[in-house]
PDB file of all heavy atoms in Angstrom:
ATOM      1  N   ASP A  11      33.774   7.526 -13.192  1.00  0.00           N
ATOM      2  CA  ASP A  11      32.728   8.259 -13.889  1.00  0.00           C
ATOM      3  C   ASP A  11      31.498   7.383 -14.088  1.00  0.00           C
ATOM      4  O   ASP A  11      31.597   6.223 -14.486  1.00  0.00           O
ATOM      5  CB  ASP A  11      33.246   8.704 -15.265  1.00  0.00           C
ATOM      6  CG  ASP A  11      33.291  10.206 -15.379  1.00  0.00           C
ATOM      7  OD1 ASP A  11      33.216  10.864 -14.346  1.00  0.00           O
ATOM      8  OD2 ASP A  11      33.396  10.704 -16.513  1.00  0.00           O
ATOM      9  N   PHE A  12      30.329   7.946 -13.797  1.00  0.00           N
ATOM     10  CA  PHE A  12      29.063   7.265 -14.043  1.00  0.00           C
ATOM     11  C   PHE A  12      28.107   8.296 -14.622  1.00  0.00           C
ATOM     12  O   PHE A  12      27.763   9.269 -13.969  1.00  0.00           O
ATOM     13  CB  PHE A  12      28.508   6.665 -12.742  1.00  0.00           C
ATOM     14  CG  PHE A  12      27.213   5.936 -12.916  1.00  0.00           C
ATOM     15  CD1 PHE A  12      27.183   4.727 -13.579  1.00  0.00           C
ATOM     16  CD2 PHE A  12      26.032   6.469 -12.447  1.00  0.00           C
ATOM     17  CE1 PHE A  12      25.994   4.053 -13.756  1.00  0.00           C
ATOM     18  CE2 PHE A  12      24.835   5.807 -12.618  1.00  0.00           C
ATOM     19  CZ  PHE A  12      24.810   4.593 -13.272  1.00  0.00           C
ATOM     20  N   MET A  13      27.714   8.103 -15.850  1.00  0.00           N
ATOM     21  CA  MET A  13      26.835   9.023 -16.569  1.00  0.00           C
ATOM     22  C   MET A  13      27.380  10.447 -16.565  1.00  0.00           C
ATOM     23  O   MET A  13      26.651  11.427 -16.368  1.00  0.00           O
ATOM     24  CB  MET A  13      25.413   8.971 -16.005  1.00  0.00           C
ATOM     25  CG  MET A  13      24.743   7.660 -16.277  1.00  0.00           C
ATOM     26  SD  MET A  13      23.033   7.412 -15.737  1.00  0.00           S
ATOM     27  CE  MET A  13      22.384   8.931 -15.263  1.00  0.00           C
ATOM     28  N   GLY A  14      28.678  10.589 -16.766  1.00  0.00           N
ATOM     29  CA  GLY A  14      29.294  11.901 -16.889  1.00  0.00           C
ATOM     30  C   GLY A  14      29.672  12.583 -15.592  1.00  0.00           C
ATOM     31  O   GLY A  14      30.223  13.674 -15.612  1.00  0.00           O
ATOM     32  N   LYS A  15      29.368  11.982 -14.469  1.00  0.00           N
ATOM     33  CA  LYS A  15      29.703  12.563 -13.164  1.00  0.00           C
ATOM     34  C   LYS A  15      30.388  11.505 -12.308  1.00  0.00           C
ATOM     35  O   LYS A  15      30.170  10.308 -12.488  1.00  0.00           O
ATOM     36  CB  LYS A  15      28.441  13.037 -12.434  1.00  0.00           C
ATOM     37  CG  LYS A  15      27.657  14.088 -13.178  1.00  0.00           C
ATOM     38  CD  LYS A  15      28.408  15.385 -13.219  1.00  0.00           C
ATOM     39  CE  LYS A  15      27.633  16.413 -14.027  1.00  0.00           C
ATOM     40  NZ  LYS A  15      28.475  17.305 -14.757  1.00  0.00           N
ATOM     41  N   PRO A  16      31.197  11.924 -11.328  1.00  0.00           N
ATOM     42  CA  PRO A  16      31.810  10.951 -10.424  1.00  0.00           C
ATOM     43  C   PRO A  16      30.750  10.196  -9.625  1.00  0.00           C
ATOM     44  O   PRO A  16      29.680  10.728  -9.327  1.00  0.00           O
ATOM     45  CB  PRO A  16      32.671  11.814  -9.496  1.00  0.00           C
ATOM     46  CG  PRO A  16      32.839  13.109 -10.183  1.00  0.00           C
ATOM     47  CD  PRO A  16      31.648  13.290 -11.072  1.00  0.00           C
ATOM     48  N   ALA A  17      31.047   8.968  -9.298  1.00  0.00           N
ATOM     49  CA  ALA A  17      30.092   8.126  -8.580  1.00  0.00           C
ATOM     50  C   ALA A  17      29.716   8.723  -7.229  1.00  0.00           C
ATOM     51  O   ALA A  17      28.574   8.566  -6.772  1.00  0.00           O
ATOM     52  CB  ALA A  17      30.648   6.718  -8.403  1.00  0.00           C
ATOM     53  N   TRP A  18      30.626   9.440  -6.577  1.00  0.00           N
ATOM     54  CA  TRP A  18      30.311  10.013  -5.268  1.00  0.00           C
ATOM     55  C   TRP A  18      29.191  11.036  -5.356  1.00  0.00           C
ATOM     56  O   TRP A  18      28.424  11.199  -4.405  1.00  0.00           O
ATOM     57  CB  TRP A  18      31.549  10.609  -4.604  1.00  0.00           C
ATOM     58  CG  TRP A  18      32.091  11.849  -5.252  1.00  0.00           C
ATOM     59  CD1 TRP A  18      33.054  11.926  -6.213  1.00  0.00           C
ATOM     60  CD2 TRP A  18      31.689  13.204  -4.983  1.00  0.00           C
ATOM     61  NE1 TRP A  18      33.284  13.233  -6.571  1.00  0.00           N
ATOM     62  CE2 TRP A  18      32.457  14.034  -5.829  1.00  0.00           C
ATOM     63  CE3 TRP A  18      30.771  13.783  -4.137  1.00  0.00           C
ATOM     64  CZ2 TRP A  18      32.326  15.418  -5.838  1.00  0.00           C
ATOM     65  CZ3 TRP A  18      30.633  15.168  -4.139  1.00  0.00           C
ATOM     66  CH2 TRP A  18      31.407  15.968  -4.984  1.00  0.00           C
ATOM     67  N   VAL A  19      29.066  11.723  -6.493  1.00  0.00           N
ATOM     68  CA  VAL A  19      27.979  12.690  -6.665  1.00  0.00           C
ATOM     69  C   VAL A  19      26.641  11.951  -6.671  1.00  0.00           C
ATOM     70  O   VAL A  19      25.678  12.363  -6.027  1.00  0.00           O
ATOM     71  CB  VAL A  19      28.174  13.506  -7.954  1.00  0.00           C
ATOM     72  CG1 VAL A  19      26.954  14.372  -8.254  1.00  0.00           C
ATOM     73  CG2 VAL A  19      29.428  14.353  -7.861  1.00  0.00           C
ATOM     74  N   TRP A  20      26.599  10.849  -7.421  1.00  0.00           N
ATOM     75  CA  TRP A  20      25.367  10.059  -7.482  1.00  0.00           C
ATOM     76  C   TRP A  20      25.040   9.450  -6.134  1.00  0.00           C
ATOM     77  O   TRP A  20      23.885   9.409  -5.719  1.00  0.00           O
ATOM     78  CB  TRP A  20      25.474   8.975  -8.555  1.00  0.00           C
ATOM     79  CG  TRP A  20      25.476   9.546  -9.923  1.00  0.00           C
ATOM     80  CD1 TRP A  20      26.541   9.690 -10.764  1.00  0.00           C
ATOM     81  CD2 TRP A  20      24.355  10.107 -10.618  1.00  0.00           C
ATOM     82  NE1 TRP A  20      26.156  10.283 -11.926  1.00  0.00           N
ATOM     83  CE2 TRP A  20      24.817  10.547 -11.870  1.00  0.00           C
ATOM     84  CE3 TRP A  20      23.021  10.276 -10.306  1.00  0.00           C
ATOM     85  CZ2 TRP A  20      23.984  11.144 -12.805  1.00  0.00           C
ATOM     86  CZ3 TRP A  20      22.181  10.867 -11.235  1.00  0.00           C
ATOM     87  CH2 TRP A  20      22.666  11.295 -12.461  1.00  0.00           C
ATOM     88  N   LEU A  21      26.055   8.964  -5.429  1.00  0.00           N
ATOM     89  CA  LEU A  21      25.823   8.384  -4.103  1.00  0.00           C
ATOM     90  C   LEU A  21      25.319   9.435  -3.118  1.00  0.00           C
ATOM     91  O   LEU A  21      24.437   9.149  -2.296  1.00  0.00           O
ATOM     92  CB  LEU A  21      27.104   7.728  -3.589  1.00  0.00           C
ATOM     93  CG  LEU A  21      27.575   6.494  -4.363  1.00  0.00           C
ATOM     94  CD1 LEU A  21      28.953   6.054  -3.891  1.00  0.00           C
ATOM     95  CD2 LEU A  21      26.564   5.379  -4.234  1.00  0.00           C
ATOM     96  N   THR A  22      25.841  10.652  -3.207  1.00  0.00           N
ATOM     97  CA  THR A  22      25.370  11.740  -2.357  1.00  0.00           C
ATOM     98  C   THR A  22      23.914  12.063  -2.651  1.00  0.00           C
ATOM     99  O   THR A  22      23.089  12.216  -1.733  1.00  0.00           O
ATOM    100  CB  THR A  22      26.234  13.000  -2.561  1.00  0.00           C
ATOM    101  OG1 THR A  22      27.592  12.676  -2.268  1.00  0.00           O
ATOM    102  CG2 THR A  22      25.771  14.142  -1.695  1.00  0.00           C
ATOM    103  N   PHE A  23      23.571  12.155  -3.936  1.00  0.00           N
ATOM    104  CA  PHE A  23      22.202  12.457  -4.335  1.00  0.00           C
ATOM    105  C   PHE A  23      21.237  11.363  -3.868  1.00  0.00           C
ATOM    106  O   PHE A  23      20.192  11.645  -3.280  1.00  0.00           O
ATOM    107  CB  PHE A  23      22.122  12.618  -5.851  1.00  0.00           C
ATOM    108  CG  PHE A  23      20.727  12.832  -6.357  1.00  0.00           C
ATOM    109  CD1 PHE A  23      20.090  14.042  -6.152  1.00  0.00           C
ATOM    110  CD2 PHE A  23      20.059  11.823  -7.028  1.00  0.00           C
ATOM    111  CE1 PHE A  23      18.790  14.246  -6.614  1.00  0.00           C
ATOM    112  CE2 PHE A  23      18.775  12.017  -7.493  1.00  0.00           C
ATOM    113  CZ  PHE A  23      18.134  13.236  -7.278  1.00  0.00           C
ATOM    114  N   ILE A  24      21.601  10.109  -4.093  1.00  0.00           N
ATOM    115  CA  ILE A  24      20.752   8.984  -3.681  1.00  0.00           C
ATOM    116  C   ILE A  24      20.613   8.957  -2.158  1.00  0.00           C
ATOM    117  O   ILE A  24      19.525   8.716  -1.623  1.00  0.00           O
ATOM    118  CB  ILE A  24      21.298   7.657  -4.233  1.00  0.00           C
ATOM    119  CG1 ILE A  24      21.123   7.619  -5.761  1.00  0.00           C
ATOM    120  CG2 ILE A  24      20.624   6.455  -3.587  1.00  0.00           C
ATOM    121  CD1 ILE A  24      21.858   6.490  -6.452  1.00  0.00           C
ATOM    122  N   GLY A  25      21.704   9.219  -1.447  1.00  0.00           N
ATOM    123  CA  GLY A  25      21.653   9.276   0.012  1.00  0.00           C
ATOM    124  C   GLY A  25      20.731  10.375   0.510  1.00  0.00           C
ATOM    125  O   GLY A  25      19.958  10.174   1.455  1.00  0.00           O
ATOM    126  N   LEU A  26      20.771  11.544  -0.133  1.00  0.00           N
ATOM    127  CA  LEU A  26      19.894  12.646   0.242  1.00  0.00           C
ATOM    128  C   LEU A  26      18.430  12.291  -0.003  1.00  0.00           C
ATOM    129  O   LEU A  26      17.574  12.530   0.856  1.00  0.00           O
ATOM    130  CB  LEU A  26      20.267  13.907  -0.542  1.00  0.00           C
ATOM    131  CG  LEU A  26      19.418  15.140  -0.292  1.00  0.00           C
ATOM    132  CD1 LEU A  26      19.570  15.610   1.156  1.00  0.00           C
ATOM    133  CD2 LEU A  26      19.786  16.245  -1.258  1.00  0.00           C
ATOM    134  N   VAL A  27      18.145  11.694  -1.148  1.00  0.00           N
ATOM    135  CA  VAL A  27      16.768  11.299  -1.463  1.00  0.00           C
ATOM    136  C   VAL A  27      16.264  10.263  -0.456  1.00  0.00           C
ATOM    137  O   VAL A  27      15.142  10.365   0.054  1.00  0.00           O
ATOM    138  CB  VAL A  27      16.659  10.770  -2.908  1.00  0.00           C
ATOM    139  CG1 VAL A  27      15.317  10.107  -3.164  1.00  0.00           C
ATOM    140  CG2 VAL A  27      16.890  11.901  -3.903  1.00  0.00           C
ATOM    141  N   LEU A  28      17.085   9.271  -0.141  1.00  0.00           N
ATOM    142  CA  LEU A  28      16.675   8.245   0.821  1.00  0.00           C
ATOM    143  C   LEU A  28      16.487   8.824   2.225  1.00  0.00           C
ATOM    144  O   LEU A  28      15.555   8.438   2.945  1.00  0.00           O
ATOM    145  CB  LEU A  28      17.682   7.099   0.837  1.00  0.00           C
ATOM    146  CG  LEU A  28      17.716   6.226  -0.419  1.00  0.00           C
ATOM    147  CD1 LEU A  28      18.831   5.189  -0.313  1.00  0.00           C
ATOM    148  CD2 LEU A  28      16.370   5.562  -0.652  1.00  0.00           C
ATOM    149  N   ALA A  29      17.353   9.764   2.610  1.00  0.00           N
ATOM    150  CA  ALA A  29      17.212  10.395   3.927  1.00  0.00           C
ATOM    151  C   ALA A  29      15.916  11.205   4.001  1.00  0.00           C
ATOM    152  O   ALA A  29      15.199  11.147   5.007  1.00  0.00           O
ATOM    153  CB  ALA A  29      18.422  11.291   4.205  1.00  0.00           C
ATOM    154  N   LEU A  30      15.598  11.945   2.942  1.00  0.00           N
ATOM    155  CA  LEU A  30      14.351  12.712   2.933  1.00  0.00           C
ATOM    156  C   LEU A  30      13.136  11.797   2.915  1.00  0.00           C
ATOM    157  O   LEU A  30      12.114  12.088   3.551  1.00  0.00           O
ATOM    158  CB  LEU A  30      14.320  13.662   1.731  1.00  0.00           C
ATOM    159  CG  LEU A  30      15.242  14.868   1.829  1.00  0.00           C
ATOM    160  CD1 LEU A  30      15.275  15.613   0.498  1.00  0.00           C
ATOM    161  CD2 LEU A  30      14.824  15.775   2.956  1.00  0.00           C
ATOM    162  N   LEU A  31      13.235  10.693   2.194  1.00  0.00           N
ATOM    163  CA  LEU A  31      12.138   9.736   2.159  1.00  0.00           C
ATOM    164  C   LEU A  31      11.919   9.117   3.533  1.00  0.00           C
ATOM    165  O   LEU A  31      10.777   9.004   4.002  1.00  0.00           O
ATOM    166  CB  LEU A  31      12.422   8.654   1.121  1.00  0.00           C
ATOM    167  CG  LEU A  31      11.314   7.677   0.812  1.00  0.00           C
ATOM    168  CD1 LEU A  31      10.115   8.395   0.213  1.00  0.00           C
ATOM    169  CD2 LEU A  31      11.810   6.619  -0.162  1.00  0.00           C
ATOM    170  N   ALA A  32      13.002   8.737   4.202  1.00  0.00           N
ATOM    171  CA  ALA A  32      12.894   8.170   5.548  1.00  0.00           C
ATOM    172  C   ALA A  32      12.325   9.200   6.529  1.00  0.00           C
ATOM    173  O   ALA A  32      11.489   8.878   7.377  1.00  0.00           O
ATOM    174  CB  ALA A  32      14.260   7.686   6.021  1.00  0.00           C
ATOM    175  N   PHE A  33      12.751  10.445   6.391  1.00  0.00           N
ATOM    176  CA  PHE A  33      12.234  11.517   7.248  1.00  0.00           C
ATOM    177  C   PHE A  33      10.738  11.708   7.023  1.00  0.00           C
ATOM    178  O   PHE A  33       9.964  11.794   7.977  1.00  0.00           O
ATOM    179  CB  PHE A  33      12.990  12.820   6.951  1.00  0.00           C
ATOM    180  CG  PHE A  33      12.419  14.029   7.616  1.00  0.00           C
ATOM    181  CD1 PHE A  33      12.524  14.200   8.988  1.00  0.00           C
ATOM    182  CD2 PHE A  33      11.781  15.004   6.872  1.00  0.00           C
ATOM    183  CE1 PHE A  33      11.997  15.324   9.603  1.00  0.00           C
ATOM    184  CE2 PHE A  33      11.255  16.131   7.470  1.00  0.00           C
ATOM    185  CZ  PHE A  33      11.357  16.290   8.844  1.00  0.00           C
ATOM    186  N   ASP A  34      10.332  11.755   5.763  1.00  0.00           N
ATOM    187  CA  ASP A  34       8.931  11.999   5.453  1.00  0.00           C
ATOM    188  C   ASP A  34       8.042  10.829   5.870  1.00  0.00           C
ATOM    189  O   ASP A  34       7.029  11.014   6.548  1.00  0.00           O
ATOM    190  CB  ASP A  34       8.769  12.270   3.963  1.00  0.00           C
ATOM    191  CG  ASP A  34       7.424  12.864   3.609  1.00  0.00           C
ATOM    192  OD1 ASP A  34       6.558  12.980   4.491  1.00  0.00           O
ATOM    193  OD2 ASP A  34       7.220  13.210   2.433  1.00  0.00           O
ATOM    194  N   LEU A  35       8.431   9.625   5.480  1.00  0.00           N
ATOM    195  CA  LEU A  35       7.593   8.460   5.766  1.00  0.00           C
ATOM    196  C   LEU A  35       7.761   7.944   7.190  1.00  0.00           C
ATOM    197  O   LEU A  35       6.819   7.420   7.775  1.00  0.00           O
ATOM    198  CB  LEU A  35       7.884   7.343   4.768  1.00  0.00           C
ATOM    199  CG  LEU A  35       7.553   7.659   3.304  1.00  0.00           C
ATOM    200  CD1 LEU A  35       7.955   6.503   2.414  1.00  0.00           C
ATOM    201  CD2 LEU A  35       6.089   8.000   3.138  1.00  0.00           C
ATOM    202  N   GLY A  36       8.954   8.081   7.747  1.00  0.00           N
ATOM    203  CA  GLY A  36       9.208   7.525   9.066  1.00  0.00           C
ATOM    204  C   GLY A  36       8.868   8.450  10.207  1.00  0.00           C
ATOM    205  O   GLY A  36       8.393   8.007  11.251  1.00  0.00           O
ATOM    206  N   ILE A  37       9.088   9.747  10.023  1.00  0.00           N
ATOM    207  CA  ILE A  37       8.882  10.680  11.124  1.00  0.00           C
ATOM    208  C   ILE A  37       7.596  11.492  10.932  1.00  0.00           C
ATOM    209  O   ILE A  37       6.765  11.572  11.831  1.00  0.00           O
ATOM    210  CB  ILE A  37      10.099  11.617  11.278  1.00  0.00           C
ATOM    211  CG1 ILE A  37      11.321  10.791  11.679  1.00  0.00           C
ATOM    212  CG2 ILE A  37       9.820  12.722  12.290  1.00  0.00           C
ATOM    213  CD1 ILE A  37      12.616  11.542  11.708  1.00  0.00           C
ATOM    214  N   LEU A  38       7.443  12.080   9.768  1.00  0.00           N
ATOM    215  CA  LEU A  38       6.290  12.955   9.554  1.00  0.00           C
ATOM    216  C   LEU A  38       4.982  12.196   9.398  1.00  0.00           C
ATOM    217  O   LEU A  38       3.921  12.735   9.676  1.00  0.00           O
ATOM    218  CB  LEU A  38       6.514  13.834   8.319  1.00  0.00           C
ATOM    219  CG  LEU A  38       7.675  14.812   8.396  1.00  0.00           C
ATOM    220  CD1 LEU A  38       7.805  15.575   7.097  1.00  0.00           C
ATOM    221  CD2 LEU A  38       7.515  15.757   9.569  1.00  0.00           C
ATOM    222  N   SER A  39       5.044  10.970   8.954  1.00  0.00           N
ATOM    223  CA  SER A  39       3.810  10.205   8.692  1.00  0.00           C
ATOM    224  C   SER A  39       3.571   9.108   9.713  1.00  0.00           C
ATOM    225  O   SER A  39       2.924   8.114   9.414  1.00  0.00           O
ATOM    226  CB  SER A  39       3.886   9.600   7.288  1.00  0.00           C
ATOM    227  OG  SER A  39       4.022  10.607   6.333  1.00  0.00           O
ATOM    228  N   ARG A  40       4.089   9.278  10.912  1.00  0.00           N
ATOM    229  CA  ARG A  40       3.884   8.253  11.940  1.00  0.00           C
ATOM    230  C   ARG A  40       2.416   8.100  12.289  1.00  0.00           C
ATOM    231  O   ARG A  40       1.922   7.002  12.480  1.00  0.00           O
ATOM    232  CB  ARG A  40       4.657   8.600  13.212  1.00  0.00           C
ATOM    233  CG  ARG A  40       6.114   8.285  13.148  1.00  0.00           C
ATOM    234  CD  ARG A  40       6.732   8.567  14.468  1.00  0.00           C
ATOM    235  NE  ARG A  40       6.636  10.019  14.687  1.00  0.00           N
ATOM    236  CZ  ARG A  40       7.356  10.694  15.549  1.00  0.00           C
ATOM    237  NH1 ARG A  40       8.199  10.066  16.306  1.00  0.00           N
ATOM    238  NH2 ARG A  40       7.231  11.985  15.671  1.00  0.00           N
ATOM    239  N   ARG A  41       1.741   9.218  12.387  1.00  0.00           N
ATOM    240  CA  ARG A  41       0.322   9.185  12.731  1.00  0.00           C
ATOM    241  C   ARG A  41      -0.513   9.325  11.471  1.00  0.00           C
ATOM    242  O   ARG A  41      -0.166  10.092  10.577  1.00  0.00           O
ATOM    243  CB  ARG A  41      -0.020  10.319  13.687  1.00  0.00           C
ATOM    244  CG  ARG A  41       0.674  10.161  15.024  1.00  0.00           C
ATOM    245  CD  ARG A  41       0.449  11.370  15.882  1.00  0.00           C
ATOM    246  NE  ARG A  41       1.218  12.466  15.264  1.00  0.00           N
ATOM    247  CZ  ARG A  41       1.045  13.739  15.546  1.00  0.00           C
ATOM    248  NH1 ARG A  41       0.128  14.110  16.390  1.00  0.00           N
ATOM    249  NH2 ARG A  41       1.783  14.670  14.973  1.00  0.00           N
ATOM    250  N   ASP A  42      -1.597   8.595  11.406  1.00  0.00           N
ATOM    251  CA  ASP A  42      -2.507   8.672  10.269  1.00  0.00           C
ATOM    252  C   ASP A  42      -3.468   9.833  10.516  1.00  0.00           C
ATOM    253  O   ASP A  42      -4.415   9.707  11.283  1.00  0.00           O
ATOM    254  CB  ASP A  42      -3.265   7.353  10.108  1.00  0.00           C
ATOM    255  CG  ASP A  42      -4.092   7.318   8.846  1.00  0.00           C
ATOM    256  OD1 ASP A  42      -3.778   8.086   7.914  1.00  0.00           O
ATOM    257  OD2 ASP A  42      -5.058   6.536   8.795  1.00  0.00           O
ATOM    258  N   ARG A  43      -3.162  10.968   9.888  1.00  0.00           N
ATOM    259  CA  ARG A  43      -3.980  12.147  10.101  1.00  0.00           C
ATOM    260  C   ARG A  43      -3.949  13.024   8.853  1.00  0.00           C
ATOM    261  O   ARG A  43      -3.076  12.892   8.002  1.00  0.00           O
ATOM    262  CB  ARG A  43      -3.485  12.957  11.292  1.00  0.00           C
ATOM    263  CG  ARG A  43      -2.079  13.491  11.079  1.00  0.00           C
ATOM    264  CD  ARG A  43      -1.573  14.207  12.314  1.00  0.00           C
ATOM    265  NE  ARG A  43      -0.190  14.599  12.130  1.00  0.00           N
ATOM    266  CZ  ARG A  43       0.193  15.758  11.606  1.00  0.00           C
ATOM    267  NH1 ARG A  43      -0.689  16.642  11.233  1.00  0.00           N
ATOM    268  NH2 ARG A  43       1.469  16.045  11.467  1.00  0.00           N
ATOM    269  N   GLU A  44      -4.918  13.901   8.770  1.00  0.00           N
ATOM    270  CA  GLU A  44      -4.986  14.854   7.674  1.00  0.00           C
ATOM    271  C   GLU A  44      -4.247  16.117   8.105  1.00  0.00           C
ATOM    272  O   GLU A  44      -4.494  16.651   9.181  1.00  0.00           O
ATOM    273  CB  GLU A  44      -6.451  15.181   7.377  1.00  0.00           C
ATOM    274  CG  GLU A  44      -6.648  16.031   6.163  1.00  0.00           C
ATOM    275  CD  GLU A  44      -8.117  16.216   5.839  1.00  0.00           C
ATOM    276  OE1 GLU A  44      -8.881  15.242   5.986  1.00  0.00           O
ATOM    277  OE2 GLU A  44      -8.485  17.336   5.463  1.00  0.00           O
ATOM    278  N   ILE A  45      -3.320  16.590   7.265  1.00  0.00           N
ATOM    279  CA  ILE A  45      -2.573  17.796   7.622  1.00  0.00           C
ATOM    280  C   ILE A  45      -3.312  19.025   7.107  1.00  0.00           C
ATOM    281  O   ILE A  45      -4.028  18.976   6.113  1.00  0.00           O
ATOM    282  CB  ILE A  45      -1.128  17.755   7.090  1.00  0.00           C
ATOM    283  CG1 ILE A  45      -1.083  17.763   5.570  1.00  0.00           C
ATOM    284  CG2 ILE A  45      -0.373  16.583   7.654  1.00  0.00           C
ATOM    285  CD1 ILE A  45       0.308  17.941   5.011  1.00  0.00           C
ATOM    286  N   GLY A  46      -3.110  20.124   7.799  1.00  0.00           N
ATOM    287  CA  GLY A  46      -3.764  21.370   7.424  1.00  0.00           C
ATOM    288  C   GLY A  46      -2.956  22.141   6.387  1.00  0.00           C
ATOM    289  O   GLY A  46      -1.852  21.743   5.989  1.00  0.00           O
ATOM    290  N   VAL A  47      -3.506  23.259   5.981  1.00  0.00           N
ATOM    291  CA  VAL A  47      -2.867  24.094   4.968  1.00  0.00           C
ATOM    292  C   VAL A  47      -1.545  24.652   5.492  1.00  0.00           C
ATOM    293  O   VAL A  47      -0.547  24.671   4.772  1.00  0.00           O
ATOM    294  CB  VAL A  47      -3.817  25.233   4.537  1.00  0.00           C
ATOM    295  CG1 VAL A  47      -3.119  26.206   3.614  1.00  0.00           C
ATOM    296  CG2 VAL A  47      -5.061  24.671   3.873  1.00  0.00           C
TER     297      VAL A  47
END
Side-chain angles (χ1 to χ4, degrees):
D11 243 16
F12 181 71
M13 292 182 12
K15 300 291 177 214
W18 69 268
V19 172
W20 290 105
L21 293 172
T22 302
F23 176 73
I24 291 169
L26 178 64
V27 169
L28 291 176
L30 287 172
L31 188 63
F33 171 71
D34 194 355
L35 296 177
I37 295 173
L38 297 178
S39 300
R40 281 184 294 199
R41 295 173 290 164
D42 187 22
R43 63 184 175 90
E44 187 175 321
I45 65 171
V47 173

